[in-house]
Amino acid sequence: MSSVKFYTRFERFWHWSQALLVFGMLTLFLWQGSRAVLAGQMTGGQLGQFLMYAFFVGSSATALSSLWGEVQRAAGAMERLTELLNAIPGIKAPTDPDTIPGRAAGHIRFEQVGFRYPSRPEHPALENFSLVVEPGETVAIVGPSGAGKSTSFQLLLRFYDLQAGNILINGRDISRLDPRALRRQIGLVPQETVLFGETALENIRYGRPDASDDEVREAARLAAADGFIDALPEGFDTFLGERGMRLSGGQRQRVAIGRAIVMRPDLLLADEPTGNLDQHAGNDVVELIEGLNAGGITLVVVTHDRAIGKRATRRIRMVDGRIESD
């Protein structure tokens, strides 16, 4: 049992036991006091006064017990945070990392890549996977769920290390690159858009914290997000709420694309960008992706959307971790 669960259960038990003790004592005092009043040993006013004082003392004790429970829960949470801060990442930068010449111009090469997730070592996620993406292409990767489409993105971003083969960007093996430098070169639009409880300006700027306000607004324009953001009560300074609850699904997706664009990437990865959108919002995103490709950005899109597949430079179908057709 984890420390957090233990402290949560302990806190519940503590609250119930304190409440039971306080009300039990008040009941006992009332019973004994009533007998004393009937026997003429004390007056009804004295009994009421005593019960009032007892209630104040009991409620204060209950408040202190609640505070102690919060302290115990905070201690459990701090223990977990300490574990996370002390965790040693499995993906490490080489001692003398290579550098990508210039920016990542979008030339990608998968060479006989093989990979199995640690939780499912008996099932290959990718097997003998080879793919070349030329700069300026729009490649749509399609296939059934579990075919390894999103896995190729995770390996390209080096969230996992390969077990076979190589992945190269601009001729550089990504295992020889600093993972942070690699990820700064690649824009990512995830399937589940994550927005923060901040303004629209800061949510887009999250892609590149040193971006100026003008650069953020230009990225929003390229992502076709400036129109609805300007229409918000305070424009780009409007608080979007936790997880962007004040925006629709299509609007959140365009903010996510703006966040990727503000990085000024030459390579953009989009994982099911229209998967959770209605047809109208999905069409807007498809047109937006087509416009980005016209601007020279290399796009690799995991999708089930036929519209994206038709407009892509190349369409690749994956089955069981392999390319079925190219």
Side-chain angles (χ1 to χ4, degrees), residues 57-125:
V57 172
S59 60
S60 298
T62 303
L64 287 174
S65 68
S66 299
L67 178 62
W68 177 249
E70 292 293 333
V71 170
Q72 294 297 315
R73 187 165 60 178
M78 182 58 68
E79 180 181 342
R80 176 58 179 156
L81 287 174
T82 302
E83 291 176 1
L84 291 174
L85 290 172
N86 293 332
I88 300 175
I91 305 298
K92 299 180 180 179
T95 305
D96 185 21
D98 290 342
T99 58
I100 300 176
R103 292 195 57 79
H107 187 277
I108 309 169
R109 180 183 294 274
F110 288 80
E111 297 179 340
Q112 301 295 315
V113 171
F115 177 73
R116 298 168 185 254
Y117 284 102
S119 58
R120 295 173 294 168
E122 67 281 0
H123 298 295

Side-chain angles (χ1 to χ4, degrees), residues 147-309:
K149 306 184 298 296
S150 298
T151 299
S152 63
F153 280 11
Q154 295 182 36
L155 295 178
L156 182 59
L157 291 163
R158 208 182 166 204
F159 292 153
Y160 298 93
D161 274 333
L162 304 180
Q163 292 151 0
N166 300 288
I167 299 177
L168 290 82
I169 291 184
N170 284 14
R172 298 290 194 273
D173 192 328
I174 65 170
S175 65
R176 294 292 310 154
L177 302 174
D178 185 330
R180 292 172 296 182
L182 169 68
R183 293 163 191 163
R184 282 196 293 265
Q185 302 272 1
I186 302 173
L188 174 66
V189 181
Q191 183 175 0
E192 295 292 336
T193 303
V194 178
L195 298 185
F196 302 102
E198 259 295 349
T199 63
L201 192 75
E202 294 303 323
N203 265 288
I204 296 176
R205 203 200 307 270
Y206 181 76
R208 185 162 59 91
D210 61 346
S212 67
D213 289 357
D214 290 339
E215 288 175 319
V216 171
R217 293 174 187 276
E218 177 62 14
R221 185 188 66 79
L222 293 173
D226 57 332
F228 71 81
I229 292 178
D230 284 332
L232 294 173
E234 299 178 49
F236 278 81
D237 293 323
T238 302
F239 182 76
L240 300 184
E242 292 299 327
R243 297 182 175 272
M245 61 181 297
R246 300 183 66 178
L247 301 180
S248 68
Q251 290 171 338
R252 287 196 295 269
Q253 197 72 316
R254 277 178 278 180
V255 170
I257 294 174
R259 179 188 291 169
I261 293 174
V262 81
M263 296 175 63
R264 296 180 298 186
D266 291 318
L267 171 61
L268 180 62
L269 309 179
D271 190 356
E272 292 286 1
T274 61
N276 297 321
L277 306 181
D278 57 35
Q279 184 175 357
H280 177 71
N283 290 337
D284 289 344
V285 172
V286 171
E287 292 178 2
L288 172 59
I289 288 176
E290 190 175 40
L292 292 175
N293 179 241
I297 295 178
T298 302
L299 289 167
V300 183
V301 185
V302 167
T303 183
H304 288 95
D305 193 320
R306 293 183 179 181
I308 295 179

Side-chain angles (χ1 to χ4, degrees), residues 26 29-30 33-34 37 42-56:
L26 287 174
F29 292 156
L30 181 59
S34 299
V37 170
M42 65 186 303
T43 66
Q46 290 174 326
L47 174 61
Q49 191 176 36
F50 179 80
L51 290 175
M52 184 177 65
Y53 290 153
F55 176 78
F56 288 154

